[in-house]
Amino acid sequence: MKTFVVGDIHGAYRALIQCLARSGLNYQDDRLVVLGDICDGYPDVNLCIEELLKIKHCDFIIGNHDLWALDWALEGKEEDVWTSQGGLATIISYGNGPMPREHLYFLQRAHYWFALENNVFVHGGFDPDVPLSQQGKQKFVWDRELIQMALKKSQEDNNYKFTTYNEIFLGHTPTQNFKSNVPVHLCNVWALDTGAGGAGSLTIMDVNTKEYWQSDPTVQLYKGFRSR
């Protein structure tokens, strides 16, 4: 079994399909870890979740956009902060609702963080000095301090390790913030949100070999659609 990890999808089903095909992921035999933010951005959230449900071993870490979408699906909340940041695309994807029960369950059973073979996967980040079990859920979903710490530390000693985990895989903070369109490696932290929610590409990586594959830029795959 190979283990793959994919960055923030943001409703870009066409990009997801390209990544799954280009990586050669086997839907029955391989594992896929999804780093959160399937929802919002481009208009195919429905298709994205439907495709991920076909993968036998799929571990989903929830992101901030997924939590907003879940609030809408369960309680009808359409807060401006959400709809102005891609939420309208999620609503469009489901024809104004309701979200199918299996899609709701997929979001509800998501991890806030996930550990596998001494690697840890989380959407936003965490405090490396505090046990993960003692940290709040909002930290895992929203944190950007860990990636900033890794950037600063890498300039001093790129062999430094945060926590005892071999590798830490994050989404949430686009690599364009670091002037990169590909995954960014800082100490033992990997940033895999390569901007699929905007004009960038979606990235999928083999966790063990670190080989990665990217979709075409989503802005080209969805010409004429404004993601935000």
Side-chain angles (χ1 to χ4, degrees):
M1 173 187 284
K2 293 181 179 179
T3 299
F4 296 88
V5 57
V6 67
D8 302 29
I9 300 168
H10 281 300
Y13 171 75
R14 299 170 191 174
L16 175 62
I17 289 297
Q18 285 187 342
C19 281
L20 295 174
R22 290 172 183 178
S23 66
L25 181 140
N26 185 301
Y27 281 46
Q28 292 299 311
D29 298 332
D30 295 332
R31 181 185 297 276
L32 178 65
V33 181
V34 183
L35 289 174
D37 280 1
I38 296 173
C39 299
D40 306 348
Y42 287 96
D44 291 331
V45 175
N46 189 344
L47 295 177
C48 289
I49 295 180
E50 199 66 32
E51 194 67 27
L52 293 173
L53 285 169
K54 298 176 185 177
I55 299 172
K56 185 176 180 180
H57 307 285
C58 182
D59 295 286
F60 172 51
I61 290 113
I62 202 158
N64 54 302
H65 284 270
D66 307 311
L67 285 176
W68 279 330
L70 195 54
D71 282 344
W72 164 73
L74 292 173
E75 302 177 30
K77 292 182 180 178
E78 295 185 20
E79 298 180 22
D80 290 344
V81 66
W82 174 55
T83 56
S84 66
Q85 294 189 55
L88 284 177
T90 297
I91 295 172
I92 291 169
S93 175
Y94 287 101
N96 293 314
M99 187 180 284
R101 181 174 298 177
E102 58 270 28
H103 291 206
L104 272 173
Y105 179 63
F106 182 82
L107 295 177
Q108 288 176 311
R109 66 181 173 87
H111 307 279
Y112 278 89
W113 59 274
F114 178 69
L116 179 69
E117 298 177 349
N118 206 39
N119 296 313
V120 65
F121 306 83
V122 64
H123 179 63
F126 54 85
D127 186 336
D129 296 322
V130 178
L132 291 172
S133 61
Q134 297 179 18
Q135 298 189 42
K137 296 175 180 179
Q138 293 299 307
K139 185 72 171 175
F140 300 128
V141 171
W142 286 99
D143 181 74
R144 297 191 196 273
E145 292 181 11
L146 178 57
I147 190 66
Q148 293 298 331
M149 289 167 59
L151 174 62
K152 183 177 180 180
K153 193 65 180 179
S154 69
Q155 296 166 353
E156 303 169 1
D157 177 12
N158 203 40
N159 293 317
Y160 182 84
K161 291 184 69 173
F162 292 90
T163 78
T164 57
Y165 288 106
N166 289 333
E167 306 280 357
I168 301 167
F169 295 89
L170 308 176
H172 191 48
T173 301
T175 58
Q176 284 76 18
N177 289 14
F178 309 104
K179 296 181 170 56
S180 176
N181 293 315
V182 300
V184 171
H185 187 208
L186 304 167
C187 298
N188 65 329
V189 177
W190 283 93
L192 268 87
D193 178 359
T194 50
S201 300
L202 183 64
T203 297
I204 187 170
M205 175 181 282
D206 184 314
V207 169
N208 293 312
T209 68
K210 305 304 185 294
E211 183 178 6
Y212 65 86
W213 301 263
Q214 293 189 295
S215 71
D216 298 346
T218 49
V219 72
Q220 295 179 13
L221 294 173
Y222 288 89
K223 288 182 179 178
F225 184 87
R226 185 177 178 180
S227 67
R228 298 290 173 91

